[in-house]
């Protein structure tokens, strides 16, 4: 039996209530999706071929963009930090300043943002197209779990490739800073790398490592979820892809602040 | 036997299925006809467990699958083959790998037997030699036939066809229908076909069920449906224009 119409004065409350319930439901679905993916990740049969394919898709194919952005980020850091430090006669600290900025902060964040733009969006679009062309339903009706074949391998690949790509970003970035500081401004290579060894310790590297690991989970989780729950048609795929990139990027920056506060 | 009792489904305020009741006898071809947007595909999605009804039951050999989830439902699905409207072939795989996929992943078929069965399945749908091609490299009709080969390669007991001839020319429509009929004669599966290809479907159906406004309004052998006095059935068969539009 249809419900009687609500008094006009109560309608705003109904709207707020409906909106809140919608948000809570979405968060619940988002969490349940991750729990289901984790269950598929830790229980056999393991889909090694699908996992290797995802390593290639998320990691290997992102190498060029990581290399380019890492190099130029390091060069920009080298340039700006040198020009600042030289005012105080402290240019000897260029190496540790570049390295700490990259290892603790910029490496994990920028590498994650770059991979989100390149691989995360493609992951959402690919799964979205599979959803609207009923390819995901085809897995289900074959009594095969699409989570096991499509989502769990992506999340595991994210866990492994994000720290590796962050490490590459850091190394290339430090070399970019070296090119500017040593080759362009004439700082000695010994000073650049020697001071780095003094000021950068394992704790700094672990901060970057934990950040990149968590970003790998966030990006693959958000992007596969959005692809799985795409709307109708090409417009639905386009919207899901945009949402996946925006949501992943915002979550990366928010989580980065949280991790930065916790892992001091 | 598949027995559907009082199946009801709504999306928001729109009732798509309204206490739908139908019986599908084992080993027969039952074709569900009805206008586009009338709930045929939604009905089929309930039968294969992709949707859960608001009310009603779906009994497959006496087992109610309408509330089933997880492994129990997967056990039932192991006896299924499904041909989706657009084929739903995996883009990233060749036609051979598409057909081999359920054998490899579902039945763990050994490699030497797998090759024989995949080649035989592609041969049965007249597609020898296209195994190496990707779905994007073949025509729509060929894709439908690869989808049929993939659905039948595991020798399922029940096969569901969701508008298997949509978008094909009349020659291909007849080709696909006769392919379904020939494969049915050979493997004796129970077939549920959702279609609106009139009058071609009357040649291959054992039973025709007319779905209208969420209910089965007429069901019977093709001859009985063709001679039905129900105006809804007659309008659909004759393709009379809808004056309400």
């Amino acid at each position: 039996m249809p419900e009687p119409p609500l008094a006009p004065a109560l309608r705003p409350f109904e709207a707020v209530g409906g909106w809140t319930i919608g948000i809570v439901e979405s968060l619940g679905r988002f969490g349940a999706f991750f729990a289901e993916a984790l269950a598929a990740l830790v229980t056999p049969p393991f889909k090694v071929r699908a996992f290797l394919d995802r390593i290639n898709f998320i990691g290997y194919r992102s190498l060029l963009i990581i290399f380019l952005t890492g190099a130029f980020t390091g060069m920009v850091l080298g340039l700006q930090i040198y020009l600042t430090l030289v005012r105080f006669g402290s240019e000897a600290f260029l190496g540790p300043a570049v390295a700490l900025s990259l290892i603790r902060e910029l490496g994990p964040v920028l590498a994650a943002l770059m991979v989100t733009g390149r691989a995360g969006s493609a992951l959402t679009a690919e799964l979205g197209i599979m959803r609207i062309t009923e390819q995901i339903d085809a897995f289900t009706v074959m009594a095969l779990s699409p989570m096991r074949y499509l989502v769990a391998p992506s999340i595991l690949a994210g866990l492994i490739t994000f720290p590796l790509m962050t490490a590459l970003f850091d190394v290339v970035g430090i070399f970019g800073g070296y090119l500017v500081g040593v080759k362009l401004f004439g700082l000695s290579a010994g000073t650049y790398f020697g001071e780095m060894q003094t000021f950068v310790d394992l704790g700094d590297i672990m901060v970057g490592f934990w950040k990149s690991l968590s970003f790998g989970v966030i990006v693959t989780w958000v992007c596969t979820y959005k692809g799985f729950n795409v709307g109708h048609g090409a417009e639905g795929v386009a919207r899901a892809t945009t949402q996946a990139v925006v949501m992943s990027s915002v979550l990366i920056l928010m989580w980065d602040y949280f991790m930065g506060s916790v892992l001091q | 036997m598949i027995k559907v009792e009082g199946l009801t489904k709504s999306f928001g305020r729109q009732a798509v299925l309204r206490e739908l009741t139908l019986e599908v006898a084992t080993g027969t071809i039952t074709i569900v006809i009805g206008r586009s947007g009338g709930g045929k595909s939604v009905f089929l999605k309930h039968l294969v467990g992709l949707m859960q009804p608001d009310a009603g039951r779906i009994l497959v050999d006496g087992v109610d699958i309408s509330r089933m989830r997880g492994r129990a439902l997967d056990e039932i699905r192991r006896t299924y083959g499904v041909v989706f409207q657009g084929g739903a072939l995996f883009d990233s795989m060749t036609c051979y790998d598409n057909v081999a996929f359920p054998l490899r992943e579902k039945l763990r078929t050994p490699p030497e037997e797998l090759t024989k069965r995949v080649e035989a399945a592609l041969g049965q749908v007249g597609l020898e030699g296209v195994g190496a091609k990707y779905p994007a490299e073949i025509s729509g009709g060929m894709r439908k036939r690869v989808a049929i080969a993939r659905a039948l390669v595991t020798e399922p007991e029940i096969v569901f066809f969701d508008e298997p001839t949509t978008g094909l020319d009349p020659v291909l429509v007849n080709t696909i229908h006769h392919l379904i009929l020939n494969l049915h004669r050979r493997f004796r599966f129970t077939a549920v076909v959702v279609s609106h290809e009139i009058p071609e479907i009357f040649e291959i159906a054992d039973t025709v069920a007319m779905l209208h406004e969420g209910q089965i309004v007429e069901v019977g052998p093709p001859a009985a449906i063709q001679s039905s006095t129900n105006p809804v059935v007659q309008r659909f068969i004759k393709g009379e224009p809808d004056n309400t539009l």
Side-chain angles (χ1 to χ4, degrees):
Chain A
M1 203 174 77
E3 290 174 21
L6 214 59
L10 294 175
R11 281 183 196 151
F13 295 100
E14 185 192 30
V16 171
W19 182 77
T20 310
I21 290 169
I23 297 261
V24 172
E25 273 181 357
S26 299
L27 287 173
R29 276 198 299 272
F30 191 46
F33 180 85
F34 187 58
E36 206 181 328
L38 277 187
L41 195 63
V42 296
T43 53
F46 303 110
K47 297 297 153 197
V48 177
R49 203 168 149 186
F51 164 68
L52 293 175
D53 176 65
R54 294 294 95 173
I55 289 270
N56 173 50
F57 187 79
I58 298 170
Y60 181 71
R61 291 198 210 164
S62 303
L63 283 179
L64 181 64
I65 196 163
I66 289 293
F67 192 86
L68 283 173
T69 50
F72 281 98
T73 303
M75 288 165 74
V76 169
L77 276 177
L79 182 69
Q80 293 302 332
I81 293 174
Y82 181 88
L83 293 176
T84 307
L85 290 176
V86 82
R87 294 184 193 178
F88 310 104
S90 310
E91 61 270 30
F93 297 110
L94 179 67
V98 169
L100 284 172
S101 306
L102 283 168
I103 290 168
R104 289 184 64 98
E105 199 60 49
L106 291 174
V109 171
L110 288 181
L113 290 174
M114 288 301 136
V115 178
T116 300
R118 213 247 11 119
S121 56
L123 199 59
T124 305
E126 186 186 46
L127 289 177
I129 288 167
M130 288 185 80
R131 170 63 78 195
I132 63 171
T133 55
E134 298 179 308
Q135 292 177 53
I136 293 178
D137 288 342
F139 277 98
T140 308
V141 297
M142 283 181 204
L144 300 169
S145 163
M147 300 299 280
R148 188 177 300 285
Y149 286 84
L150 302 173
V151 179
S154 297
I155 291 178
L156 184 60
L159 268 171
I160 290 171
T161 55
F162 272 63
L164 288 173
M165 284 188 291
T166 301
L168 178 71
F169 190 99
D170 292 346
V171 169
V172 174
I174 288 168
F175 186 71
Y178 165 86
L179 285 180
V180 173
V182 176
K183 297 294 176 188
L184 188 65
F185 292 121
L187 198 70
S188 87
T191 306
Y192 185 81
F193 288 113
E195 293 299 325
M196 211 181 282
Q197 285 173 359
T198 309
F199 286 97
V200 181
D201 59 25
L202 188 63
D204 298 312
I205 293 169
M206 291 313 289
V207 168
F209 173 74
W210 291 119
K211 281 184 179 179
S212 62
L213 206 65
S214 53
F215 293 157
V217 175
I218 288 170
V219 171
T220 49
W221 178 13
V222 169
C223 293
T224 51
Y225 176 79
K226 285 290 175 189
F228 247 61
N229 295 283
V230 76
H232 298 289
E235 192 189 343
V237 176
R239 191 181 299 126
T241 307
T242 307
Q243 285 174 349
V245 172
V246 172
M247 193 170 158
S248 297
S249 304
V250 171
L251 283 176
I252 285 167
L253 295 171
M254 286 167 68
W255 190 249
D256 179 53
Y257 176 77
F258 173 77
M259 293 283 278
S261 307
V262 173
L263 303 171
Q264 287 179 14
Chain B
M1 173 186 269
I2 303 172
K3 201 171 175 183
V4 181
E5 296 175 345
L7 200 69
T8 301
K9 181 72 175 179
S10 298
F11 296 105
R13 291 183 182 180
Q14 189 192 1
V16 179
L17 302 177
R18 297 184 302 152
E19 298 192 8
L20 186 152
T21 296
L22 180 68
E23 281 186 19
V24 176
T26 303
T28 62
I29 299 179
T30 297
I31 300 193
V32 180
I33 58 172
R35 291 183 55 184
S36 297
K40 300 191 298 295
S41 292
V42 170
F43 173 51
L44 201 73
K45 283 186 175 172
H46 280 84
L47 293 182
V48 299
L50 287 173
M51 282 185 182
Q52 291 204 321
D54 299 333
R57 301 197 304 165
I58 300 163
L59 302 165
V60 178
D61 294 331
V63 179
D64 184 9
I65 66 157
S66 60
R67 300 285 178 273
M68 268 187 186
R69 283 172 182 265
R71 285 187 184 173
L73 183 56
D74 281 347
E75 283 306 311
I76 301 286
R77 282 178 177 145
R78 282 179 203 282
T79 64
Y80 283 4
V82 182
V83 178
F84 286 91
Q85 198 169 343
L89 296 176
F90 303 127
D91 298 329
S92 57
M93 296 182 196
T94 62
C95 293
Y96 178 93
D97 283 332
N98 263 285
V99 179
F101 190 77
L103 288 176
R104 199 180 276 144
E105 301 294 329
K106 202 159 97 173
L107 303 183
R108 311 249 168 241
T109 308
E112 59 280 9
E113 191 194 332
L114 185 134
T115 307
K116 277 185 202 161
R117 286 180 68 172
V118 173
E119 285 173 358
L122 286 170
Q124 280 154 10
V125 296
L127 289 177
E128 300 92 342
V130 301
K133 290 185 187 294
Y134 283 87
E137 297 171 336
I138 58 176
S139 68
M142 289 165 92
R143 276 201 289 274
K144 299 264 186 187
R145 284 189 279 163
V146 175
I148 292 171
R150 186 177 70 177
L152 296 181
V153 74
T154 54
E155 298 179 8
E157 292 168 28
I158 307 170
V159 186
F160 300 92
F161 297 86
D162 186 5
E163 303 198 13
T165 53
T166 299
L168 301 181
D169 66 57
V171 175
L172 275 174
V173 168
N174 270 320
T175 306
I176 297 285
H177 281 153
H178 284 95
L179 181 64
I180 292 170
L181 186 62
N182 292 336
L183 292 168
H184 175 259
R185 281 177 184 150
R186 190 164 169 184
F187 297 107
R188 303 308 305 173
F189 50 78
T190 303
V192 179
V193 185
V194 160
S195 179
H196 45 57
E197 296 289 356
I198 301 288
E200 291 87 347
I201 54 103
F202 293 123
E203 291 176 31
I204 65 163
D206 294 308
T207 304
V208 178
M210 172 82 195
L211 178 63
H212 180 70
E213 293 183 351
Q215 290 178 314
I216 299 293
V217 292
E218 191 91 23
V219 61
I225 295 292
Q226 283 171 294
S227 60
S228 167
T229 54
N230 187 326
V232 171
V233 177
Q234 281 305 317
R235 264 207 310 275
F236 182 75
I237 292 173
K238 290 174 182 166
E240 289 174 3
D242 186 347
N243 295 326
T244 62
L245 296 178

